[in-house]
């Protein structure tokens, strides 16, 4: 069954938003989960985090950056075109939706998004808003042109803090600088941080939140490749355990994730030789053998 593109928006030179008609996926979706998109019969599987969903309209929103052949082809699709496969929701939902609402009301939570990370942050913050909960949001990017979904986040956040690395818009500095300023200079106190963005940003943010004694959740959606646990790309060490971002996550304790290992694997997986070397190094733990999916059929 093909899925119709209801709306399409170009957010930056290389970032697009699409609202896809997918009633079954929309009905079952929760914040933190992802879908797998396949443009056509010859297209590759692309895992993309759910950026929003409307259960009544039966639509799911995705936001993607054109970094490879498949995403560049997807960007060429227009409204009312059809995508061949749109499968989901997959992965574990955000841990917060399982917590007691009254307990959540007593917590000060901050969401921190870097670049395209604003997309998966939005449905989580929206969920909090819909349940009468106020949260702060920090959004950062290299420059003003790369800030996305600012208006959408402003409509659901208690406070929205925007910054750019080059100082072209909002706070002059990185998201780590914004959080440090809020805590050390503005007297803010947070009980939990949710961080989503590039791996290097999540690494340094997790280092900072550990110093500030703020428990932290990160989303490792950026390292997923096939979304089933069979390719071995998103194998990551969390504490002393081997986990797979697509099956066990994508959210994990940021203070336990071995970011250096994950980024090394990410770089190696880009070459065929690197893939073979990782398979050799990992041995029996290379893929998630119990996912029950059978791979890409």
């Amino acid at each position: 069954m093909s899925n119709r593109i209801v709306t399409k928006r170009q957010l930056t030179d290389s970032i697009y938003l699409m609202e896809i008609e997918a009633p079954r996926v929309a009905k079952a979706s929760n914040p933190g989960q992802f879908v797998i998109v396949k443009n056509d019969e010859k297209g590759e599987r692309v895992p993309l985090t759910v950026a929003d969903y409307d259960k009544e309209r039966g639509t799911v929103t995705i936001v993607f950056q054109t970094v490879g052949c498949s995403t560049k082809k997807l960007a060429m699709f227009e409204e009312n075109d059809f995508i061949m496969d749109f499968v989901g929701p997959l992965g574990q939902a955000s841990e917060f939706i399982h917590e007691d609402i009254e307990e959540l009301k007593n917590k000060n939570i901050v969401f921190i998004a870097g670049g395209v990370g604003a997309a998966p942050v939005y449905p989580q913050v929206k969920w909090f808003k819909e349940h009468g909960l106020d949260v702060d949001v920090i959004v950062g990017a290299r420059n003003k042109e790369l800030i996305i979904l600012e208006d959408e986040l402003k409509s659901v956040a208690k406070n929205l803090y925007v910054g750019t690395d080059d100082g072209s818009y909002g706070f002059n500095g990185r998201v780590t600088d914004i959080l440090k300023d809020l805590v050390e200079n503005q007297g803010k106190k947070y009980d939990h941080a949710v961080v989503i963005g590039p791996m290097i940003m999540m690494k340094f943010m997790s280092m900072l939140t550990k110093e500030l004694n703020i428990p932290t959740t990160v989303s490792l959606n950026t390292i997923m490749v096939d979304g089933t646990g069979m390719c071995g790309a998103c194998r990551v060490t969390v504490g002393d355990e081997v986990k797979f971002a697509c099956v066990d996550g994508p959210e994990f304790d940021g203070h336990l994730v071995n970011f250096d290992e994950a980024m090394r694997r990410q770089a190696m997986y880009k070459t065929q030789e690197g893939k073979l070397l990782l398979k050799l190094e990992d041995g029996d733990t290379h893929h998630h053998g119990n996912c029950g999916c059978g791979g890409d059929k």
Side-chain angles (χ1 to χ4, degrees), residues 21-52:
E21 202 169 56
R24 290 184 179 179
V25 180
K27 186 177 180 181
S29 288
N30 283 303
Q33 294 183 295
F34 68 95
V35 294
I36 289 179
V37 178
K38 194 173 177 183
N39 298 336
D40 50 43
E41 287 186 4
K42 295 183 179 179
E44 63 180 349
R45 300 158 57 90
V46 181
L48 296 169
T49 311
V50 172
D52 197 8

Side-chain angles (χ1 to χ4, degrees), residues 29-191:
S29 288
N30 283 303
Q33 294 183 295
F34 68 95
V35 294
I36 289 179
V37 178
K38 194 173 177 183
N39 298 336
D40 50 43
E41 287 186 4
K42 295 183 179 179
E44 63 180 349
R45 300 158 57 90
V46 181
L48 296 169
T49 311
V50 172
D52 197 8
Y53 51 87
D54 189 319
K55 296 180 188 293
E56 291 184 6
R57 279 166 54 86
T59 61
V60 175
T61 301
I62 55 174
V63 173
F64 60 94
Q65 191 164 17
T66 53
V67 292
C69 182
S70 293
T71 47
K72 285 180 180 178
K73 283 184 177 179
L74 180 59
M76 297 169 67
F77 282 58
E78 299 297 341
E79 292 181 358
N80 294 316
D81 284 345
F82 287 84
I83 296 171
M84 192 183 86
D85 285 335
F86 193 84
V87 180
L90 299 168
Q92 305 300 318
S94 170
E95 59 192 20
F96 289 115
I97 71 169
H98 304 298
E99 291 192 30
D100 182 78
I101 296 295
E102 294 304 315
E103 289 185 13
L104 283 178
K105 286 181 180 178
N106 296 321
K107 292 183 179 181
N108 290 323
I109 299 172
V110 59
F111 283 82
I112 303 160
V116 187
V121 158
Y122 173 69
Q124 300 202 33
V125 179
K126 182 183 176 184
W127 183 91
F128 273 81
K129 178 76 171 178
E130 290 172 346
H131 288 79
L133 304 167
D134 292 326
V135 298
D136 286 352
V137 179
I138 298 172
V139 174
R142 291 196 306 274
N143 54 56
K144 182 180 179 180
E145 287 68 35
L146 296 177
I147 296 290
I148 64 170
L149 304 180
E150 182 180 359
D151 291 339
E152 288 86 347
L153 285 166
K154 191 177 290 183
S155 70
V156 293
K158 180 183 180 182
N159 298 295
L160 177 63
Y161 304 96
V162 181
T164 49
D165 297 356
D166 65 358
S168 57
Y169 186 63
F171 186 96
N172 184 357
R174 296 179 172 85
V175 287
T176 46
D177 300 321
I178 300 175
L179 179 63
K180 200 167 186 179
D181 180 68
L182 289 173
V183 173
E184 296 182 353
N185 300 328
Q186 299 187 40
K188 288 278 190 176
K189 184 183 183 301
Y190 294 112
D191 301 304

Side-chain angles (χ1 to χ4, degrees), residues 115-290:
V116 187
V121 158
Y122 173 69
Q124 300 202 33
V125 179
K126 182 183 176 184
W127 183 91
F128 273 81
K129 178 76 171 178
E130 290 172 346
H131 288 79
L133 304 167
D134 292 326
V135 298
D136 286 352
V137 179
I138 298 172
V139 174
R142 291 196 306 274
N143 54 56
K144 182 180 179 180
E145 287 68 35
L146 296 177
I147 296 290
I148 64 170
L149 304 180
E150 182 180 359
D151 291 339
E152 288 86 347
L153 285 166
K154 191 177 290 183
S155 70
V156 293
K158 180 183 180 182
N159 298 295
L160 177 63
Y161 304 96
V162 181
T164 49
D165 297 356
D166 65 358
S168 57
Y169 186 63
F171 186 96
N172 184 357
R174 296 179 172 85
V175 287
T176 46
D177 300 321
I178 300 175
L179 179 63
K180 200 167 186 179
D181 180 68
L182 289 173
V183 173
E184 296 182 353
N185 300 328
Q186 299 187 40
K188 288 278 190 176
K189 184 183 183 301
Y190 294 112
D191 301 304
H192 202 104
V194 178
V195 184
I196 307 180
M199 290 292 284
I200 192 70
M201 167 270 204
M202 291 191 289
K203 172 188 173 180
F204 283 105
M205 183 56 80
S206 295
M207 289 168 62
L208 174 61
T209 56
K210 193 169 185 178
E211 286 178 24
L212 298 174
N213 198 29
I214 304 173
T216 299
T217 299
V218 297
S219 179
L220 302 186
N221 53 63
T222 56
I223 65 173
M224 295 190 297
V225 174
D226 84 336
T228 66
M230 299 302 289
C231 70
C234 69
R235 177 188 183 276
V236 63
T237 303
V238 182
D240 296 325
E241 297 181 277
V242 171
K243 298 285 186 180
F244 291 81
C246 59
V247 178
D248 302 310
E251 295 185 350
F252 298 100
D253 184 335
H255 297 163
L256 296 179
V257 172
N258 187 330
F259 285 102
D260 291 335
E261 177 193 65
M263 287 188 288
R264 170 182 167 269
R265 294 179 62 85
Q266 206 175 11
M268 290 179 66
Y269 200 84
K270 292 178 181 178
T271 68
Q272 188 61 34
E273 185 179 356
K275 290 179 185 178
L276 293 172
L277 182 57
L278 285 175
K279 190 173 184 179
L280 181 65
E281 289 179 357
D282 296 346
D284 293 338
T285 66
H286 181 66
H287 59 75
H288 194 288
N290 299 317

